[in-house]
Amino acid sequence: MKSNHTFVIPVYQNSPYLEICINNLKKQSIESNIIITTSTPTKNTRSIADKYNLEYYAYEGDKKGIGNDWNYALSNVRTQYATIAHQDDIYERSFTETVLNKIKHIKKPLLIFTDYYDLVNGKKRKSSLNYKIKKTLLFPFLVKNSHSWFIIKKGILLLGDPICCPSVTLNLKDIENSHKIFSPNYMCALDWIAWLKIARQKGSFIFINKKLIQHRIHDESETTASLNSGVRQKEEYLIFKKIWGPFIAKILSKIYSVGHKDNQI
C-alpha cells in the first residue's frame, strides 16, 4: 500500500540522472507515489516514464520557467504530502518513512525539511562554509525541531535561505493555493520566496536534523549555472531589499554570496 505522499519529478529536457533518481525513489523503505511532469517533453522522458510505469504529465503552453514548472508539478499531485524531487539528487532510503513518522506528532505541519549532504564528484562533502552558514541560521530549530510561531518561521529566512529545497515536503492540504506557491518571476530564489509566503500561514515548520538527501553539485546543474551567470546573486539581493531595504540588502547579499563559492564548479 502506497503512502499519502508523492515524489513529483519536474523534468527539464533529457536529464542524465533521471533514471538514477527514479530507481533511488523506488527503493524507499515506505512506498511513495512517483510522477513525472515536464514543460519540455521528449520521447526519451516519455519512454522512461513508460519503462517504470509512472504517471507522466506534460504541457507545452506559454507559461515557461521553473516557477510555473513546479506549480504545474504540484497541481498533478493527488496525495496530501508532496516532495519536489530534483532529478540530480539522491534520497536516503529512510527519507519518506522518517518524514511521515515525524508528521504524525505535529498538529498542523505545513513544511517539513531535512538536513543534507553536498555530493561533489560522486563523494559526500562533510561540511562547507555555505553549509555552516545555513546551519547557523537554523539555530531555533536545533533547540526545538518544530515551530508554529510566525516570528520564528520568518526569522530563519531573514538573513538567507537555510532550507534545502529538494529536502522539503509540503502539506498541500493545509497550504493555501499550494499549486501556485512558486513565483514565476524568479529563476533561482523562488523557493526562498515560497517559504516566506508559507511562513505567514497558520501551521508548523519542521526540521529533521538528519542528513536524508544528497544534493548533487555539478557543472550542468541549475544552481551552478545561476551562480556562474550572477542571476542567483541578483535575485537574492532583491529579496533582501524587500525585507531590509536597499542599504542593508547590499551588505547582506555580499556577505551571503561568500558562501556560494562552495557551490560553484
Side-chain angles (χ1 to χ4, degrees):
M1 183 177 178
K2 293 182 179 178
S3 63
N4 192 22
H5 172 265
T6 297
F7 284 110
V8 54
I9 312 171
V11 178
Y12 180 72
Q13 296 183 351
N14 291 317
S15 168
Y17 299 104
L18 180 57
E19 284 200 76
I20 296 174
C21 178
I22 292 170
N23 279 305
N24 169 241
L25 298 181
K26 281 184 167 289
K27 293 177 181 177
Q28 289 291 302
S29 58
I30 291 181
E31 187 178 6
S32 291
N33 299 275
I34 304 172
I35 66 174
I36 291 175
T37 63
T38 182
S39 63
T40 55
T42 66
K43 290 182 179 179
N44 181 62
T45 303
R46 182 62 201 241
S47 66
I48 290 174
D50 291 342
K51 176 181 177 180
Y52 292 95
N53 195 29
L54 302 181
E55 293 181 39
Y56 175 85
Y57 302 93
Y59 78 100
E60 298 182 76
D62 295 330
K63 292 184 177 181
K64 301 294 184 181
I66 297 177
N68 287 317
D69 287 353
W70 287 5
N71 288 333
Y72 176 72
L74 292 178
S75 72
N76 286 288
V77 173
R78 299 293 174 260
T79 57
Q80 181 174 353
Y81 300 103
T83 301
I84 297 177
H86 295 202
Q87 57 203 20
D88 301 347
D89 298 336
I90 297 174
Y91 291 79
E92 299 297 328
R93 187 173 181 272
S94 61
F95 179 89
T96 304
E97 183 175 5
T98 305
V99 169
L100 294 182
N101 283 339
K102 193 68 178 178
I103 288 170
K104 292 177 183 178
H105 306 288
I106 307 299
K107 185 176 180 180
K108 190 176 181 181
L110 292 178
L111 184 154
I112 307 94
F113 62 105
T114 80
D115 204 352
Y116 68 99
Y117 289 104
D118 282 327
L119 189 65
V120 185
N121 297 322
K123 296 182 180 180
K124 293 178 182 178
R125 183 165 63 188
K126 292 183 179 180
S127 187
S128 66
L129 177 60
N130 186 50
Y131 176 82
K132 289 177 180 177
I133 291 172
K134 290 188 174 185
K135 209 63 183 287
T136 301
L137 293 176
L138 287 175
F139 176 74
F141 284 84
L142 301 180
V143 177
K144 181 187 174 190
N145 58 26
S146 174
H147 291 279
S148 59
W149 287 7
F150 168 69
I151 192 170
I152 295 179
K153 291 185 292 184
K154 184 178 179 181
I156 64 168
L157 298 164
L158 294 179
L159 298 176
D161 180 10
I163 297 176
C164 178
C165 184
S167 81
V168 169
T169 297
L170 299 170
N171 180 354
L172 303 184
K173 178 182 176 182
D174 290 329
I175 293 175
E176 298 171 11
N177 297 315
S178 58
H179 64 290
K180 296 181 180 179
I181 200 68
F182 294 105
S183 170
N185 300 322
Y186 290 81
M187 291 180 61
C188 311
L190 69 165
D191 52 335
W192 188 5
I193 285 288
W195 313 153
L196 284 164
K197 288 180 183 177
I198 297 172
R200 299 189 190 103
Q201 301 179 24
K202 291 183 179 180
S204 296
F205 278 18
I206 304 159
F207 175 53
I208 298 174
N209 195 13
K210 294 181 180 180
K211 296 186 176 185
L212 298 178
I213 183 171
Q214 298 174 39
H215 177 51
R216 193 188 304 271
I217 298 174
H218 60 96
D219 56 6
E220 294 180 0
S221 72
E222 184 62 35
T223 298
T224 300
S226 65
L227 286 171
N228 291 338
S229 67
V231 172
R232 177 173 288 274
Q233 293 88 332
K234 290 178 182 178
E235 290 187 357
E236 288 172 346
Y237 167 73
L238 290 175
I239 297 174
F240 277 130
K241 185 178 177 182
K242 286 183 178 181
I243 297 172
W244 296 101
F247 178 72
I248 296 179
K250 288 181 181 180
I251 298 172
L252 290 176
S253 59
K254 286 182 180 179
I255 295 173
Y256 194 63
S257 65
V258 172
H260 287 324
K261 293 180 180 179
D262 294 319
N263 290 336
Q264 288 180 291
I265 301 294

